[in-house]
Amino acid sequence: MALKIVKGSIDRMFDKNLQDLVRGIRNHKEDEAKYISTCIDEIKQELKQDNIAVKANAVCKLTYLQMLGYDVSWAAFNIVEVMSSSKFTYKRIGYLAASQCFHEGTDVIMLTTNQIRKDLSSPNQYDTGVALTGLSCFVTPDLARDLANDIMTLMSHTKPYIRKKAVLIMYKVFLKYPESLRPAFPRLKEKLEDPDPGVQSAAVNVICELARRNPKNYLSLAPLFFKLMTSSTNNWVLIKIIKLFGALTPLEPRLGKKLIEPLTNLIHSTSAMSLLYECVNTVIAVLISLSSGMPNHSASIQLCVQKLRILIEDSDQNLKYLGLLAMSKILKTHPKSVQSHKDLILQCLDDKDESIRLRALDLLYGMVSKKNLMEIVKKLMLHVDKAEGTTYRDELLTKIIDICSQSNYQYITNFEWYISILVELTRLEGTRHGHLIASQMLDVAIRVKAIRGFAVAQMATLLDNAHLLTGNTQRNGICEVLYAAAWICGEFSEHLEDPMQTLEAMLRPKVATLPGHIQAVYVQNAAKLFATVLQKHEGETDSQAAQETSQLLIDRLPLFVQSANLEVQERASCILQLVKYIQKLQQKNVEVAEEVTALFAGELNPVAPKAQKKVPIPEGLDLDAWINEPPSESESEDEKPKVVFAKEEPKHYRSRHTEVDEKELARRREVRKQEQANNPFYIKASPSSQKVYDAPGVEHIPVVQIDLSVPLKVPGMPMSDQYLKLEEERRQKEKAERKKKEKKKKREKRGKGRKADSGPESEEDITPAHQVDIVTEEMPENALPSDDDDKDPNDPHKALDIDLDKPLADSEKLPVRTHRPEVLKSPAEDRDSKSVPQETKKKSSKEKKEKKKDKEKDRKQIKPTVHWFPVQKSSKHKKKKQKKEKEEKEKKKKKRHHHHHHHGDAGGEDSVQNGTVEEEEPLPPMSNYSLLAENSYIKMVYDIQGNHQDESKVVVSVIFENKSDSFLKSMEFNVLDSLNSKLQRPEGAGPHDGLTVPFQLPPGVSNEARFVFSVQSIVMPQKLKGTLTFIVKSDESSTHEKLDFKLHFTCTSYLITTPCYSDAYAKLLESGDLKGSSLRLEGINMPFHHLLARICFHHHFSVVERIDSCASMYSRSIQGHHVCLLVKTSDQTVSIDAKCDEPSLLGNVLDEIKQTFSKC
Amino acid sequence: MIKAILIFNNHGKPRLIRFYQYFAEDMQQQIIRETFHLVSKRDDNVCNFLEGIYFTLIYRHYATLYFVFCVDSSESELGILDLIQVFVETLDKCFENVCELDLIFHMDKVHYILQEVVMGGMVLETNMNEIVAQVELQNRMEKSEGGLSGAPARAVSAVKNMNLPEIPRNINIGDINIKVPSLSPF
């Protein structure tokens, strides 16, 4: 033994520690990956050793490798082992590793519950601290539920170090287990006034996080916070509180009014910039909430803006940045006060710091008006030219477009100017926003009818000079603009001066190098242009020119027919055939123009993107209702168990009532959405392109071949600057005219004393250059105006929207730890939490709500059983009984019951799927814990549970109960391993050493410890001999005692309750891989549902389906064997037909079931 | 809430990562890369905030190291900036003139210090003396237990070091100490 330890420590000397690992990695720069993989192999070896120090060292190295990006989740179990070490050094390493790599999906987390609980209650505050810190990173809903009460107790710990950690972690607990919020809130509130500033700060922190998401529930705390704000000197706390007030004021304007004064005082007095900044921010929030006409607060706005100006002018870039950030908040409600600082903000555009420039851009967005739009955009265009780096330039580009297009082009007075700006932007090299420019061109051309002529001319120039834009053919590159250009020219070709030239430009061979989707548009719009050209020529009866045009298309289109892009190919070949046909007709001198144009006829309207979604559902239409009777799957399914277990005489099944539960509906909806998304024919909201040609018979225009040499400036492209000058002149002129008019008026109305307009012209005075009609996007009639599309249903904070002012109900206590036998007073509930954990999570909130609704005791007793069976249905029987007993209650629920009665009358006796609710008598308490051994000092009961994640491990939970008046300590648990089953000894030492039970037992106390066993074969039951040694310590003496026991690993203990749907179940049985066996039990006189519950509980089965006195059940072993039962009962005789892919396992399980029932 | 704390050097090598929101390892590395990409191209005289892809980034650059805090809107920007300063000053006290090598070889200890400053993404303590006191008490406890490697391992480690051409601690890399400028107190 001693030798072994020495040997172990010598081995250890040559293990690498963290420093060696780091050094090694640094020395292997060229083959780092290879080196690390050998290190990982070493670590794997180290983890296999029994010495905890070696393991801890290995885990510590893994934490480092995790940082480098290596997935170390395979060592999760070893991490848990290190976490459970009794030494702080190792524990800390374990918890650190866990906090770095555990998450909700880590399966071994469920093994840690007891360990964490033990650490939380450790006498050493640092054990507790380390556990809290670790837990804060990997808390899961299950851990939160199980540990909420322990953590809440820690909030009143004597040490502030523990208190502040416990307070902080409560936030995480609330997030994962929202039911804990109400019971824990009073204590949390108490902590706001904790004598220790750290704890106080933690409490403020937590409440601020909570209130930020659901501010209205925390309004009642405002006075308390107000007191804190005026008394606290801790800047951290002040900042948090002031931020919180910023969230609360929009809900309660009166609070805002009260806040203004102390906040202004703080602004004047504080020297801490962070605090000053947050105060300004909150004052802004207050002012926004008060914005509805409070003139006397203009002083506060002035103060804020003035302070912000100081920040922006500061040399510290951070302050400058934040100043701009805050300025943008004021801008929303008080644009006037910000606009006067336009100079400052434009100056920031020249700042060397990109973040600051971006903030300034944000501000500009809100500062534009009709008057200054052109000027601001001109400045931005200058910056575009100067900008280095494409990201910032792209940002500028999007901002220019944002600024111009905001609120439906509200500030644009001259659309010709805007189109030329867009065209100018196309000259940017390497932009990724070609698509954005293109969509703007399309939008403007479609919606501003008056501009179409101009736009078409510009687009034609673009198409003509397409070679300038095609340098960059990547997706979303600037060539996207050609998409818009081609479409606009095609769609509005009646405005084209020379359609033939454009047509020619669109059919150049170079076009074939463009991305496919653009080529497709080219081809389609070439056809439209062709129609226009034909019409022109036929109007002039120039059949020669018309035929030449057809020939042009026939010559050029084959290039596109060969395209690799399917859409281009398809369109091109269609149109080619069409043109060929037209050519034939032309040769026979048939007039075709009319028919060809008819191909593209139809009015075009922009449709709002949300239009489809906004179509109101007509009255009386239920989208979730069945259109036809659902297929009667019931028959075939009900039949299935019989086919397999053929001995049963046929039963008369009624067709099942078609009630689809909520989950199923949601699933179907999801499936439908998926289908719609994949269905190209499903009509989504998008603008359709159909049009009417209303300008036929344009003059004949000869085809001109233009061969441009590459010009530096695109000829014919207007410079937007010209518009600026023009606009200014126009405005001057208008102003002059207005003045004249006014003078006239004045002369007319002399004596009435009206002053001439000499001040700066106001917004309304600027008239747009063209009378433009901006077409609004189409919406369906009766569209619902609601705009709730933005809410995220998955927000975890939604669950925390809980009223905290209501007094606590009895039912809202946090779950307190008890051993299972006690919990089993409501056995079904316990089973629930073990068997279908996911279901529980979802239901627990539902349950809570329901509990609140009716607090009658009898309802609560019923509840657990209802829960256990997924489908809630009331049998007629139950209703009658309830009706007798609870006449009054019945009245309230008359409506519901009425419905049920109706159903019951119509159908006679109900058949129930997936469970039943015969509530004649509650189930007797059940416990899976069976006696392990007992003497006058101690009693041990145990339960064995399998674990899906690890097919070779089972967990034995042993409850030790001290029956004596003495203190029991140094308990050591040891088992003589067999070949098949071995006790996992994490603490090192040899295969015959015992495990120390991690607690001591004062008189009368019981506690639970878990031991992990590895098993190989699970088909046979097994007994392991073991011994518990312990020291009995009374006042005068202490004696060494021991107790022998036999651990019985039944086959049942390898089964895990696994839910199974009836269709999967049927498939399983049909597969024919399962071998059958059967069992008959005589003289069983217990209700059928008790029988089922017993099988479920003691043998880890779940009910798949139950019909009358016949039920199918399912379970799975930890190694994946399927076990299926068909249980039937008649007159005290129960017959069980069973199937399983492992016959000996099945035989043993059936024997065990037989034993269970022979006992009662 | 603080969503993540990243420390990496001028070349983007991570020295400490601490995520308070779960990301798989490859995602974590991607975030580090993208953050480094954003932060490293900024001059030292520009502001310390920027909008990252996932969060707001607040960072400070000391000598060879970037300390980046990824936060959401509930944190005060200037407050976090001061917190970084507190954290670095604490490191400076605990390691006595902290330099990048301290962080490289003692990532675990840096984590333990950080755990006393930020817990689960929320600020736990801002008082440097309190943080240092708690860290030292825990280190003392570790010492009383014999430490992780214990005496024999230390002896071996000394032997192992002899093989190395140079012991990193003694390399003269010039001025790599993280100079902690004394900023105006918070």
Side-chain angles (χ1 to χ4, degrees):
Chain A
M1 182 75 200
L3 190 69
K4 203 182 217 167
I5 292 172
V6 171
K7 189 176 170 287
S9 68
I10 287 175
D11 281 346
R12 266 176 51 204
M13 285 201 279
F14 294 100
D15 290 341
K16 287 194 190 79
N17 61 16
L18 175 62
Q19 282 74 33
D20 297 328
L21 174 77
V22 175
R23 203 170 290 132
I25 294 175
R26 285 163 72 82
N27 286 337
H28 289 80
K29 284 224 167 77
E30 59 296 328
D31 54 348
E32 194 183 291
K34 199 174 140 212
Y35 179 76
I36 289 178
S37 80
T38 60
C39 287
I40 289 180
D41 288 342
E42 280 169 26
I43 289 170
K44 280 185 178 158
Q45 287 305 317
E46 286 164 33
L47 288 175
K48 279 189 192 138
Q49 306 223 355
D50 290 329
N51 190 326
I52 190 71
V54 175
K55 276 189 185 171
N57 184 37
V59 165
C60 185
K61 288 191 278 183
L62 282 179
T63 315
Y64 184 81
L65 293 179
Q66 196 272 344
M67 176 178 81
L68 299 184
Y70 289 83
D71 177 17
V72 298
S73 54
W74 50 270
F77 189 77
N78 304 103
I79 293 173
V80 174
E81 282 178 321
V82 176
M83 276 162 72
S84 56
S85 161
S86 53
K87 275 195 174 180
F88 172 74
T89 314
Y90 304 147
K91 191 184 287 297
R92 183 153 82 154
I93 292 171
Y95 272 105
L96 174 62
S99 70
Q100 289 290 73
C101 68
F102 282 13
H103 54 96
E104 262 187 44
T106 309
D107 40 32
V108 291
I109 281 191
M110 63 178 217
L111 297 177
T112 61
T113 316
N114 273 321
Q115 179 58 42
I116 296 172
R117 180 174 287 145
K118 205 187 97 198
D119 290 334
L120 290 183
S121 54
S122 160
N124 180 343
Q125 63 163 328
Y126 292 112
D127 281 353
T128 315
V130 155
L132 284 172
T133 308
L135 188 61
S136 71
C137 294
F138 57 80
V139 60
T140 63
D142 284 337
L143 281 177
R145 187 192 58 230
D146 294 341
L147 298 174
N149 198 51
D150 302 67
I151 298 171
M152 200 162 108
T153 323
L154 290 179
M155 280 164 69
S156 317
H157 199 273
T158 47
K159 298 247 170 53
Y161 179 73
I162 298 300
R163 282 209 303 273
K164 69 183 178 194
K165 286 197 169 195
V167 168
L168 272 191
I169 203 178
M170 275 322 271
Y171 176 65
K172 297 274 173 165
V173 173
F174 296 150
L175 277 184
K176 300 287 177 189
Y177 179 54
E179 284 85 344
S180 59
L181 178 55
R182 273 172 55 74
F185 196 71
R187 193 167 296 180
L188 185 61
K189 208 166 125 185
E190 234 173 75
K191 297 293 139 199
L192 284 176
E193 295 176 289
D194 195 279
D196 184 86
V199 181
Q200 198 184 40
S201 155
V204 170
N205 221 331
V206 170
I207 293 184
C208 287
E209 277 298 330
L210 290 169
R212 199 163 66 90
R213 310 297 184 135
N214 298 297
K216 66 175 188 312
N217 300 329
Y218 300 85
L219 269 177
S220 60
L221 290 182
L224 188 55
F225 277 119
F226 196 81
K227 203 176 102 195
L228 276 176
M229 184 178 80
T230 43
S231 62
S232 176
T233 52
N234 180 342
N235 280 350
W236 259 105
V237 171
L238 280 175
I239 287 177
K240 282 280 169 191
I241 294 175
I242 287 166
K243 265 184 140 2
L244 172 67
F245 277 132
L248 292 182
T249 41
L251 301 165
E252 181 55 274
R254 279 175 299 173
L255 177 65
K257 273 181 223 165
K258 233 183 136 187
L259 280 172
I260 289 268
E261 202 203 321
L263 284 179
T264 339
N265 289 344
L266 267 176
I267 290 176
H268 282 301
S269 66
T270 186
S271 61
M273 275 303 183
S274 46
L275 185 58
L276 170 88
Y277 174 67
E278 294 305 337
C279 287
V280 169
N281 251 336
T282 297
V283 171
I284 294 168
V286 169
L287 293 175
I288 290 171
S289 70
L290 295 176
S291 59
S292 47
M294 292 287 283
N296 50 340
H297 284 304
S298 61
S300 309
I301 298 174
Q302 281 315 311
L303 176 68
C304 285
V305 174
Q306 183 197 328
K307 284 278 174 191
L308 288 179
R309 190 175 173 113
I310 293 172
L311 289 184
I312 295 172
E313 282 172 337
D314 198 292
S315 61
D316 185 343
Q317 297 285 341
N318 291 328
L319 298 182
K320 197 180 274 249
Y321 176 88
L322 293 175
L324 289 169
L325 198 66
M327 206 61 125
S328 63
K329 288 177 193 157
I330 302 186
L331 185 71
K332 280 175 200 137
T333 48
H334 301 85
K336 288 255 163 64
S337 359
V338 182
Q339 267 161 14
S340 53
H341 298 280
K342 199 175 79 191
D343 56 319
L344 189 63
I345 286 151
L346 283 172
Q347 205 180 308
C348 288
L349 275 183
D350 296 320
D351 200 285
K352 57 188 178 301
D353 186 350
E354 196 175 301
S355 322
I356 287 177
R357 290 200 300 257
L358 292 178
R359 287 279 148 241
L361 273 180
D362 276 349
L363 269 173
L364 279 182
Y365 177 83
M367 287 171 66
V368 292
S369 62
K370 278 184 181 167
K371 201 170 78 183
N372 62 15
L373 175 72
M374 284 180 159
E375 181 199 345
I376 286 181
V377 170
K378 186 189 166 191
K379 283 232 167 77
L380 290 179
M381 292 297 283
L382 283 178
H383 280 282
V384 170
D385 288 341
K386 281 192 294 183
E388 301 155 11
T390 45
T391 30
Y392 178 60
R393 208 167 50 184
D394 279 358
E395 188 62 34
L396 273 169
L397 189 155
T398 44
K399 267 281 136 35
I400 290 175
I401 290 181
D402 277 356
I403 286 174
C404 292
S405 63
Q406 66 176 310
S407 26
N408 217 358
Y409 308 105
Q410 188 191 344
Y411 300 115
I412 294 185
T413 48
N414 186 336
F415 277 93
E416 281 186 18
W417 165 82
Y418 185 46
I419 293 274
S420 16
I421 287 284
L422 288 175
V423 172
E424 266 176 56
L425 286 175
T426 63
R427 284 187 232 146
L428 282 186
E429 265 168 45
T431 180
R432 288 179 294 108
H433 291 297
H435 185 73
L436 188 64
I437 303 176
S439 66
Q440 280 292 299
M441 288 175 169
L442 285 172
D443 198 44
V444 172
I446 294 168
R447 292 174 59 189
V448 186
K449 283 184 179 153
I451 203 68
R452 283 181 190 165
F454 180 80
V456 165
Q458 291 298 312
M459 296 302 125
T461 331
L462 268 185
L463 285 177
D464 239 359
N465 298 292
H467 55 284
L468 294 177
L469 305 174
T470 49
N472 169 13
T473 48
Q474 77 193 50
R475 191 120 190 134
N476 254 338
I478 201 65
C479 61
E480 289 288 325
V481 171
L482 295 176
Y483 177 100
W487 191 88
I488 292 170
C489 285
E491 189 64 28
F492 307 117
S493 50
E494 71 269 19
H495 298 289
L496 269 178
E497 270 178 41
D498 185 358
M500 192 56 208
Q501 186 192 347
T502 312
L503 180 62
E504 203 277 330
M506 279 166 71
L507 291 171
R508 278 180 205 152
K510 195 107 201 284
V511 172
T513 59
L514 289 172
H517 65 288
I518 300 179
Q519 285 185 54
V521 170
Y522 264 66
V523 172
Q524 182 77 8
N525 285 286
K528 293 182 196 168
L529 277 175
F530 174 59
T532 317
V533 174
L534 273 189
Q535 205 156 30
K536 243 183 206 177
H537 292 322
E538 279 183 13
E540 298 158 12
T541 59
D542 186 351
S543 62
Q544 178 66 26
Q547 284 189 28
E548 270 170 23
T549 319
S550 306
Q551 192 54 46
L552 177 73
L553 261 77
I554 289 168
D555 289 345
R556 300 283 177 87
L557 278 174
L559 179 67
F560 297 99
V561 175
Q562 291 160 11
S563 168
N565 186 297
L566 271 185
E567 196 177 347
V568 181
Q569 208 184 86
E570 191 185 8
R571 289 189 189 200
S573 51
C574 258
I575 290 165
L576 184 61
Q577 290 311 313
L578 181 74
V579 179
K580 279 182 180 165
Y581 179 66
I582 290 169
Q583 198 185 30
K584 261 186 218 162
L585 293 177
Q586 281 175 332
Q587 280 157 1
K588 291 176 198 158
N589 278 327
V590 183
E591 298 238 322
V592 284
E594 198 120 335
E595 273 130 78
V596 178
T597 39
L599 281 175
F600 307 106
E603 185 60 40
L604 179 140
N605 283 320
V607 178
K610 285 181 196 164
Q612 174 92 33
K613 215 161 54 179
K614 299 274 173 163
V615 177
I617 299 171
E619 237 174 89
L621 174 66
D622 180 4
L623 289 177
D624 293 323
W626 286 96
I627 297 175
N628 295 312
E629 274 302 298
S632 56
E633 54 194 319
S634 51
E635 272 165 38
S636 55
E637 256 180 43
D638 288 351
E639 228 62 20
K640 258 167 202 155
K642 269 196 314 175
V643 177
V644 183
F645 305 103
K647 284 177 259 175
E648 186 59 23
E649 82 268 26
K651 285 245 156 72
H652 297 288
Y653 295 124
R654 287 186 9 75
S655 73
R656 208 176 303 123
H657 182 60
T658 55
E659 195 170 293
V660 192
D661 64 313
E662 202 54 36
K663 239 168 78 187
E664 173 68 357
L665 274 179
R667 192 186 61 78
R668 284 185 195 160
R669 232 170 272 148
E670 200 45 53
V671 169
R672 196 166 54 225
K673 259 190 212 154
Q674 200 63 44
E675 273 171 12
Q676 285 169 359
N678 295 334
N679 182 357
F681 300 109
Y682 181 74
I683 302 163
K684 295 181 200 102
S686 63
S688 58
S689 50
Q690 294 289 306
K691 61 157 286 184
V692 173
Y693 280 76
D694 45 8
V698 189
E699 297 297 294
H700 164 72
I701 294 161
V703 182
V704 183
Q705 203 80 30
I706 296 180
D707 197 9
L708 283 167
S709 57
V710 184
L712 276 176
K713 281 246 160 90
V714 181
M717 278 197 185
M719 291 297 295
S720 53
D721 288 357
Q722 293 172 347
Y723 286 95
L724 196 59
K725 274 184 211 137
L726 281 174
E727 182 73 14
E728 262 158 28
E729 280 166 22
R730 190 176 64 84
R731 281 184 197 170
Q732 287 293 337
K733 229 158 97 189
E734 271 179 22
K735 213 167 148 188
E737 271 173 27
R738 248 201 320 274
K739 265 187 186 162
K740 258 189 223 161
K741 271 187 200 162
E742 212 123 315
K743 270 180 195 162
K744 247 191 208 164
K745 265 190 204 161
K746 231 172 143 187
R747 256 177 262 137
E748 282 164 11
K749 300 181 182 180
R750 217 177 316 167
K752 286 193 179 171
R754 260 192 68 182
K755 254 195 224 167
D757 177 17
S758 54
E761 51 190 334
S762 62
E763 243 351 43
E764 296 74 36
D765 293 339
I766 301 171
T767 52
H770 315 260
Q771 208 46 55
V772 287
D773 167 30
I774 302 175
V775 185
T776 51
E777 295 167 322
E778 274 194 346
M779 281 291 242
E781 286 172 45
N782 312 326
L784 305 167
S786 67
D787 244 320
D788 50 359
D789 315 294
D790 309 327
K791 280 182 192 164
D792 178 13
N794 297 326
D795 184 6
H797 298 277
K798 243 177 135 181
L800 286 180
D801 191 359
I802 295 167
D803 185 0
L804 295 163
D805 299 329
K806 261 198 315 202
L808 277 176
D810 288 344
S811 58
E812 285 188 293
K813 281 193 182 124
L814 285 179
V816 180
R817 172 168 65 132
T818 43
H819 293 303
R820 249 166 275 174
E822 293 166 64
V823 178
L824 286 180
K825 275 163 201 156
S826 56
E829 198 164 46
D830 184 55
R831 225 178 305 131
D832 183 10
S833 64
K834 271 188 288 176
S835 60
V836 253
Q838 282 184 333
E839 212 119 330
T840 329
K841 264 178 255 159
K842 278 179 209 147
K843 275 185 182 159
S844 51
S845 59
K846 228 193 264 173
E847 180 190 339
K848 195 117 269 173
K849 273 180 219 149
E850 278 178 49
K851 271 187 183 168
K852 269 182 224 160
K853 266 188 230 158
D854 44 19
K855 287 177 190 157
E856 277 98 333
K857 239 185 179 172
D858 61 338
R859 287 291 292 173
K860 262 195 220 158
Q861 274 174 351
I862 293 164
K863 195 116 283 163
T865 337
V866 173
H867 259 210
W868 182 53
F869 298 108
V871 175
Q872 282 200 27
K873 278 206 179 176
S874 312
S875 75
K876 195 181 164 193
H877 216 84
K878 169 191 164 193
K879 274 168 266 143
K880 272 186 183 163
K881 197 169 178 227
Q882 269 192 336
K883 202 167 184 179
K884 266 183 228 158
E885 285 179 0
K886 296 271 166 197
E887 285 277 345
E888 273 189 29
K889 212 177 97 189
E890 199 78 340
K891 268 180 206 161
K892 284 179 211 158
K893 299 191 172 159
K894 213 170 178 181
K895 236 182 178 171
R896 217 182 86 203
H897 277 273
H898 195 76
H899 167 73
H900 279 290
H901 273 294
H902 179 70
H903 164 62
D905 292 344
E909 214 170 287
D910 293 346
S911 67
V912 181
Q913 187 201 6
N914 254 2
T916 183
V917 202
E918 277 175 39
E919 295 311 323
E920 287 132 3
E921 45 191 296
L923 290 168
M926 286 187 277
S927 165
N928 254 349
Y929 281 78
S930 47
L931 187 66
L932 184 58
E934 184 173 17
N935 64 13
S936 52
Y937 297 109
I938 193 163
K939 180 181 172 184
M940 294 194 283
V941 290
Y942 77 111
D943 178 30
I944 305 177
Q945 298 265 323
N947 162 3
H948 255 319
Q949 277 83 34
D950 196 332
E951 55 174 41
S952 63
K953 288 202 174 86
V954 288
V955 178
V956 178
S957 317
V958 184
I959 298 175
F960 299 87
E961 185 187 350
N962 186 349
K963 292 166 64 186
S964 66
D965 303 329
S966 320
F967 206 85
L968 300 185
K969 55 182 252 185
S970 302
M971 290 189 282
E972 207 173 83
F973 182 91
N974 200 0
V975 173
L976 212 58
D977 292 348
S978 72
L979 275 178
N980 192 33
S981 316
K982 291 188 172 64
L983 175 60
Q984 294 259 305
R985 294 174 169 84
E987 197 74 41
H992 305 295
D993 295 349
L995 284 189
T996 317
V997 178
F999 47 77
Q1000 304 180 339
L1001 287 179
V1005 169
S1006 61
N1007 204 343
E1008 183 174 353
R1010 292 188 171 191
F1011 304 96
V1012 182
F1013 283 76
S1014 62
V1015 288
Q1016 281 174 354
S1017 162
I1018 60 158
V1019 299
M1020 299 284 277
Q1022 204 168 15
K1023 283 186 184 169
L1024 289 187
K1025 270 190 197 167
T1027 317
L1028 180 82
T1029 55
F1030 53 95
I1031 294 173
V1032 182
K1033 195 176 182 204
S1034 53
D1035 293 338
E1036 54 271 14
S1037 68
S1038 67
T1039 53
H1040 225 91
E1041 295 287 340
K1042 74 174 211 170
L1043 175 60
D1044 291 329
F1045 57 82
K1046 264 187 189 172
L1047 264 176
H1048 189 183
F1049 288 87
T1050 58
C1051 281
T1052 291
S1053 51
Y1054 303 128
L1055 297 182
I1056 302 170
T1057 320
T1058 317
C1060 181
Y1061 288 108
S1062 51
D1063 42 352
Y1065 187 77
K1067 237 176 236 162
L1068 186 64
L1069 290 176
E1070 276 173 351
S1071 68
D1073 301 337
L1074 309 184
K1075 319 231 168 10
S1077 179
S1078 63
L1079 173 73
R1080 258 180 117 73
L1081 301 167
E1082 304 279 351
I1084 304 286
N1085 49 8
M1086 64 170 79
F1088 189 54
H1089 73 281
H1090 282 194
L1091 179 100
L1092 292 184
R1094 261 173 207 277
I1095 297 177
C1096 285
F1097 186 67
H1098 290 298
H1099 298 282
H1100 308 165
F1101 277 87
S1102 62
V1103 177
V1104 178
E1105 195 169 0
R1106 181 190 159 189
I1107 298 135
D1108 298 330
S1109 59
C1110 177
S1112 48
M1113 306 178 89
Y1114 175 79
S1115 183
R1116 240 180 96 157
S1117 78
I1118 53 172
Q1119 294 180 356
H1121 305 294
H1122 305 282
V1123 188
C1124 308
L1125 300 183
L1126 179 70
V1127 185
K1128 288 163 287 185
T1129 180
S1130 58
D1131 298 335
Q1132 302 201 355
T1133 307
V1134 177
S1135 67
I1136 300 178
D1137 291 302
K1139 294 227 164 191
C1140 174
D1141 36 12
E1142 178 56 62
S1144 48
L1145 174 70
L1146 180 62
N1148 290 318
V1149 169
L1150 287 184
D1151 283 349
E1152 284 159 20
I1153 293 178
K1154 194 171 179 179
Q1155 257 177 17
T1156 310
F1157 288 99
S1158 63
K1159 277 185 216 155
C1160 51
Chain B
M1 285 276 282
I2 299 168
K3 299 293 187 182
I5 295 172
L6 311 173
I7 305 178
F8 42 73
N9 71 0
N10 287 348
H11 306 291
K13 285 239 185 240
R15 295 304 177 209
L16 176 133
I17 57 171
R18 169 76 279 194
F19 282 87
Y20 295 103
Q21 183 182 343
Y22 173 68
F23 290 103
E25 274 77 11
D26 47 351
M27 192 63 190
Q28 293 187 352
Q29 294 298 316
Q30 194 187 329
I31 293 174
I32 296 170
R33 274 196 303 275
E34 284 169 2
T35 311
F36 171 70
H37 183 72
L38 284 173
V39 169
S40 61
K41 64 181 182 198
R42 294 170 65 84
D43 289 339
D44 273 349
N45 54 357
V46 301
C47 78
N48 298 85
F49 321 114
L50 73 161
E51 296 300 324
I53 299 157
Y54 307 96
F55 338 90
T56 303
L57 306 177
I58 301 171
Y59 73 97
R60 270 187 192 280
H61 188 194
Y62 295 95
T64 58
L65 290 177
Y66 285 98
F67 288 71
V68 186
F69 280 42
C70 311
V71 301
D72 67 12
S73 63
S74 75
E75 295 298 341
S76 148
E77 290 87 347
L78 292 171
I80 292 291
L81 216 49
D82 285 340
L83 185 73
I84 299 178
Q85 178 72 11
V86 167
F87 177 49
V88 175
E89 278 179 39
T90 313
L91 286 178
D92 200 47
K93 266 200 177 172
C94 293
F95 286 107
E96 286 165 24
N97 281 333
V98 66
C99 71
E100 190 184 341
L101 286 174
D102 292 312
L103 275 80
I104 296 172
F105 286 100
H106 303 282
M107 182 204 72
D108 47 347
K109 297 202 172 60
V110 181
H111 265 294
Y112 300 142
I113 296 167
L114 180 61
Q115 281 178 357
E116 298 304 321
V117 183
V118 179
M119 182 176 136
M122 283 179 289
V123 179
L124 181 68
E125 185 59 67
T126 51
N127 180 339
M128 190 172 26
N129 296 332
E130 170 75 13
I131 299 166
V132 173
Q134 297 296 352
V135 169
E136 300 223 308
L137 276 170
Q138 292 181 56
N139 287 344
R140 217 170 293 156
M141 229 176 103
E142 189 173 301
K143 241 175 224 161
S144 72
E145 286 179 349
L148 173 56
S149 36
R154 266 197 288 277
V156 172
S157 165
V159 174
K160 281 186 220 165
N161 284 349
M162 290 203 302
N163 306 335
L164 286 173
E166 46 198 350
I167 301 166
R169 260 295 190 179
N170 300 341
I171 306 173
N172 188 6
I173 318 180
D175 181 28
I176 52 157
N177 279 6
I178 299 172
K179 280 269 158 51
V180 185
S182 47
L183 299 176
S184 56
F186 174 66

